Amino acid sequence: MASTIIFLIYLLATTTTTATTTTTTKITKQPTSTWTLLQSNIGITAMHMQLLPNDRVLIYDRTDFGASNLSLANGKCREDGFDYVLKKDCTAHSVEYDVVSNSFRPLMVLTDVWCSSGSLTPDGTIVQTGGFNDGDHVVRVFKSCDTCDWKELKSGLINRRWYATNHLLPGGRQIIVGGRRQYNYEFYPKISSTEKAYSLPFLVQTNDPDLENNLYPFVFLNPDGNLFIFSNNRAILFDYSRNRVLKKYPQIPGGDPRNYPSTGSAVLLPLRIVQGNVTVVEVLVCGGAPKGAFINSQNGTFDGALKTCGRIKISDPNPKWVMETMPLARVMGDMLLLPNGDVLIINGGSAGTAGWEYGRNPVLHPVVYKPDNPLGHRFKIQTPSTIPRMYHSTAILVRDGRVLVGGSNPHIYYNFTNVLYPTELRFEAFSPSYLDPRLSGARPKILLGSQTQFCYGDQVIIRFMVLGHVDPKSVSVTMVAPSFNTHSFSMNQRLLILEGVNTTVPVGKAKYEVAVRAPPSCYVAPENYYLLFVVHRQIPSEGIWVQIG
Ligand SMILES: *[C@@H]1O[C@H](CO)[C@@H](O)[C@H](O)[C@H]1NC(C)=O
Ligand SMILES: *[C@@H]1O[C@H](CO)[C@@H](O)[C@H](O)[C@H]1NC(C)=O
Ligand SMILES: *[C@@H]1O[C@H](CO)[C@@H](O)[C@H](O)[C@H]1NC(C)=O
Ligand SMILES: *[C@@H]1O[C@H](CO)[C@@H](O)[C@H](O)[C@H]1NC(C)=O
Ligand SMILES: *[C@@H]1O[C@H](CO)[C@@H](O)[C@H](O)[C@H]1NC(C)=O
C-alpha cells in the first residue's frame, strides 16, 4: 500500500506540467530535488572535473594566477617563470576528491592546464591534453591511488590545444578537436612518430572573426562510427579516419552561436539499443548567447541569454532542427544525462557570455528535460541553489546518482573578496528528485555478484532488490560513460539503454533478475569504464562500475 501511494505521488510529479488546481494538495508531496554543501572550501576552483572508476574525482583549475587556498603536500612548491603572480607557488591547483568519504587531498600539476581537455581511458587512467603557455603542448596522465599524482609525458601534442574538445574513440585512442586558432585535429596516443595533425576547414568556416564561437566544439561519437561535430551554429557528420565530411546539417534556426564564448551546451540523447542496433540518434543543444553578445559584454551591455534548445535526429536522411523553449534562458549551463535518461540543465547565467567578467544574472534553478515527454511538456524547474555558478564552473554525475557542482571564477586571478561573483571554493551536491527518500520503496539496489566485465553483445544477468511492488514493465538498465567536464561541455558523455533479453522475474524475497544484452559494438560504446544502473519507474539504483571491451 505504501509503495502504491508513493508511486501515485511520483506519477503526479512526473507525468505532465499541466497539473490542475485540484491536485495542488498532493503536489506539495512531490519528490523534490535538494542541494547539500559538501565542502565550504575545497581549496581550488573546480574548472575541470572527471569522475574516476574508484569514485574519486580529479579536479583542477589553472596554475599561473596566484595562490589558491590549499597548500601543496609536504612543503612542495613550484617555480615557473610563466606564473603571472607568483615566482614560487606553494599552493595546489588540482585536488583529488573522494566521493565516499567526502574528503580531498592536494595534487601537484607541473605545467599550466588552464582551459584544457581530456578523457578517461579504458584502463582507468585519465589522459589530459594541452592547456596554456608552458602547458599547451603537454600530455599528462593521472591514475588514482592514495599517493598518486600527475605525471607529464615525454611525447606531447603536435599543435597547441587550448579550448579543444576530446573524445574517446573505438580502440582506445582519443581525438582532440580544435582549440584556439587550431582548425585541425590530432589523435593521442599517436600510432607512429610521423603521424600528423589533420586539417578541419569546418572550424574555419564556423569561426566568427574576433568572436570565435567555435571553441570547445560539441563532439559526439555517432553509433555509425563517425563523429558529429557542432561548432557555432551548425554541425557536420565527420569520418575522422578518412578526413571526410559526410554530411552537413542545417544551421540551427535563428543562427545564434552556441559555443564558447557564446557558451551553450549539448548532449547526445539516450541511445536505445533495439535488435542489436541503435537506429535513432538525437542531439539536443540548449542555451548560449545571441550574436554580438560577446562584444556587447566587453562594452558593458549584457544581452539576455538564449532561451531555446534545438533537437535534431542526426540519424534521419533529411534531419531538421526542432526548436523548444526552456523555462529559463541560460548561457554557460551544463547539460548532464541522468541515469534515468533525463537531461539536467544546471549552472550558468541569464545574461552576458563566457570570458572574464562577461557573465551576469546567475540562474540558480536547474531544469530537468524529459526527452520522451510530448513536445511542450518536457521541462521541469528544480530546487535552486544559493551559489552562483558562472564562468569556470562544473558539474558531473557520480555513482550514487547525485550531481557534484563546483567552481565558478570569472576573474583572471583568484579573487575571493570585493568582486562580483568571487572565486568560488564551495563544493555542492545536487540530488535530483529521484533521490527523495519517499521513493525508497521503489528504488532498486543492484545485488553483489552481478557481472561487471562485458564483451560486446554479451548476455548479462543483473540481480537487484526492490522493497516495494515491482512493475516489470518499468524496469530498464542503463549505462552512462563518465565524462570530462569543463566550460559547460561534458566530453564523452553518452547513455545507453540496454536491450532486454527477457522480462524482470522474481528470484527471492524482494529480489529480481533481468537479462539484458551488453552494447553491440565499440561504435555504440567505446571500450571503457561505465556506470550501470537499474532504473525502475524512472528511479535509478546506485550505479555499479562495469567495463566493456
Ligand atoms: C584559506 O582561507 C582561510 C580563510 O580565509 C585562511 O585562513 C587560510 O590561510 C587560507 N589558506 C591558504 C593555504 O591560503
Ligand atoms: C544499424 O542501423 C543503421 C541505421 O539504421 C544502419 O545503417 C546499420 O546498417 C545497422 N547496422 C546493423 C549491424 O544492423
Ligand atoms: C564597443 O565599444 C567600442 C569602443 O568604444 C566601439 O568601437 C564598438 O563599436 C562598440 N561595440 C558595440 C557592439 O557597441
Ligand atoms: C584580483 O587578484 C589579483 C591578484 O591577486 C589582484 O592583483 C587584483 O587587484 C584583484 N582584483 C580585485 C578586483 O581585487
Ligand atoms: C531470463 O534469461 C536468463 C538468461 O538466459 C535466464 O537465466 C532466466 O531464467 C530467464 N528468465 C525467464 C523468466 O525467462
Side-chain angles (χ1 to χ4, degrees):
M1 188 59 199
S3 64
T4 313
I5 291 168
I6 285 165
F7 180 47
L8 286 175
I9 293 168
Y10 188 68
L11 275 183
L12 280 172
T14 54
T15 42
T16 79
T17 52
T18 56
T20 59
T21 46
T22 55
T23 59
T24 44
T25 51
K26 281 175 187 155
I27 291 284
T28 59
K29 289 187 185 163
Q30 274 186 27
T32 47
S33 49
T34 53
W35 287 88
T36 314
L37 184 64
L38 298 172
Q39 294 289 340
S40 57
N41 181 344
I42 199 164
I44 67 163
T45 175
M47 194 189 293
H48 314 74
M49 288 210 274
Q50 168 77 58
L51 177 66
L52 305 169
N54 57 359
D55 294 325
R56 297 183 191 180
V57 180
L58 178 68
I59 306 176
Y60 64 91
D61 55 22
R62 57 183 288 200
T63 55
D64 59 349
F65 66 149
S68 73
N69 193 254
L70 181 66
S71 297
L72 285 167
N74 310 320
K76 283 189 279 193
C77 298
R78 248 179 85 248
E79 288 182 47
D80 187 336
F82 289 104
D83 199 306
Y84 290 128
V85 180
L86 298 169
K87 290 296 149 249
K88 186 174 174 192
D89 184 356
C90 306
T91 64
H93 301 285
S94 177
V95 302
E96 184 183 47
Y97 172 78
D98 182 49
V99 177
V100 178
S101 64
N102 185 24
S103 59
F104 60 95
R105 66 184 180 99
L107 298 177
M108 187 168 182
V109 58
L110 296 172
T111 50
D112 200 354
V113 282
W114 179 27
C115 296
S116 63
S117 46
S119 171
L120 191 68
T121 55
D123 73 349
T125 303
I126 171 169
V127 175
Q128 178 279 347
T129 55
F132 185 61
N133 266 340
D134 59 341
D136 65 6
H137 283 74
V138 179
V139 177
R140 309 163 186 83
V141 293
F142 179 81
K143 175 126 197 202
S144 179
C145 75
D146 288 346
T147 55
C148 293
D149 215 325
W150 286 83
K151 284 201 183 80
E152 304 214 336
L153 301 185
K154 286 205 179 67
S155 61
L157 300 170
I158 295 170
N159 291 322
R160 83 166 195 164
R161 300 288 167 188
W162 195 35
Y163 298 86
T165 296
N166 296 24
H167 205 294
L168 187 66
L169 298 173
R173 293 215 290 171
Q174 47 181 314
I175 187 167
I176 307 144
V177 181
R180 188 158 259 169
R181 291 186 284 283
Q182 295 299 334
Y183 312 104
N184 57 66
Y185 60 96
E186 65 185 282
F187 299 94
Y188 195 86
K190 307 282 182 253
I191 330 180
S192 71
S193 56
T194 55
E195 192 179 1
K196 302 228 166 3
Y198 302 87
S199 83
L200 186 54
F202 173 67
L203 294 177
V204 179
Q205 292 149 13
T206 52
N207 180 44
D208 286 338
D210 305 324
L211 304 176
E212 301 174 315
N213 290 326
N214 67 343
L215 298 181
Y216 283 120
F218 306 141
V219 178
F220 299 112
L221 177 67
N222 188 332
D224 71 359
N226 299 303
L227 293 178
F228 173 89
I229 306 177
F230 183 101
S231 170
N232 193 333
N233 55 18
R234 63 190 182 90
I236 53 171
L237 186 67
F238 187 65
D239 178 348
Y240 61 84
S241 57
R242 283 184 288 178
N243 189 252
R244 258 188 223 156
V245 176
L246 302 176
K247 190 185 258 190
K248 290 181 177 174
Y249 295 96
Q251 192 186 78
I252 196 164
D256 285 314
R258 309 280 178 162
N259 294 89
Y260 179 94
S262 294
T263 305
S265 191
V267 287
L268 187 62
L269 287 174
L271 299 170
R272 185 179 290 279
I273 303 165
V274 180
Q275 294 178 349
N277 200 357
V278 176
T279 49
V280 177
V281 184
E282 292 183 275
V283 168
L284 180 70
V285 176
C286 291
K291 254 189 196 132
F294 185 57
I295 299 277
N296 290 341
S297 298
Q298 289 167 353
N299 284 0
T301 301
F302 303 97
D303 293 341
L306 300 180
K307 212 175 177 182
T308 53
C309 298
R311 178 166 166 171
I312 190 166
K313 207 172 275 182
I314 66 172
S315 50
D316 257 14
N318 291 303
K320 291 197 175 54
W321 291 98
V322 177
M323 300 307 285
E324 301 182 51
T325 304
M326 296 187 281
L328 302 165
R330 200 180 299 251
V331 60
M332 298 180 283
D334 281 284
M335 292 172 72
L336 297 186
L337 294 165
L338 298 176
N340 62 359
D342 288 351
V343 180
L344 178 69
I345 308 173
I346 192 166
N347 295 349
S350 66
T353 64
W356 304 130
E357 316 293 344
Y358 297 153
R360 289 295 183 277
N361 306 348
V363 183
L364 299 173
H365 290 83
V367 166
V368 160
Y369 176 87
K370 294 188 162 292
D372 294 336
N373 277 10
L375 193 68
H377 300 274
R378 291 181 181 153
F379 294 100
K380 191 157 188 282
I381 296 183
Q382 306 294 304
T383 308
S385 170
T386 56
I387 304 175
R389 298 292 181 178
M390 305 299 279
Y391 186 43
H392 289 153
S393 60
T394 47
I396 53 163
L397 174 73
V398 292
R399 192 169 60 79
D400 58 26
R402 291 177 303 162
V403 169
L404 304 187
V405 174
S408 186
N409 184 16
H411 315 294
I412 301 187
Y413 303 103
Y414 285 105
N415 291 102
F416 300 119
T417 51
N418 302 324
V419 285
L420 185 60
Y421 316 126
T423 304
E424 189 52 71
L425 303 179
R426 285 173 289 178
F427 197 62
E428 293 173 289
F430 173 73
S431 297
S433 60
Y434 55 61
L435 289 173
D436 190 314
R438 285 171 290 192
L439 300 176
S440 57
R443 189 185 328 282
K445 178 178 178 2
I446 298 178
L447 295 171
L448 282 176
S450 292
Q451 193 177 334
T452 58
Q453 307 271 327
F454 302 170
C455 291
Y456 291 108
D458 261 6
Q459 183 173 298
V460 178
I461 295 178
I462 308 290
R463 297 200 174 84
F464 62 96
M465 250 179 105
V466 178
L467 294 176
H469 169 75
V470 166
D471 173 7
K473 282 198 217 64
S474 66
V475 173
S476 59
V477 178
T478 61
M479 274 170 61
V480 182
S483 46
F484 177 98
N485 177 282
T486 191
H487 288 75
S488 305
F489 186 60
S490 289
M491 305 175 193
N492 289 325
Q493 186 170 222
R494 66 208 288 113
L495 182 147
L496 312 165
I497 304 173
L498 301 188
E499 185 166 15
V501 172
N502 58 18
T503 94
T504 297
V505 290
V507 291
K509 193 172 182 326
K511 291 185 180 155
Y512 301 85
E513 83 175 28
V514 62
V516 292
R517 211 166 277 291
S521 72
C522 55
Y523 304 107
V524 173
E527 301 87 335
N528 203 0
Y529 283 90
Y530 288 79
L531 283 169
L532 179 140
F533 299 88
V534 172
V535 182
H536 175 226
R537 292 174 183 157
Q538 302 191 49
I539 304 161
S541 64
E542 278 203 354
I544 57 169
W545 285 105
V546 300
Q547 266 182 298
I548 188 156

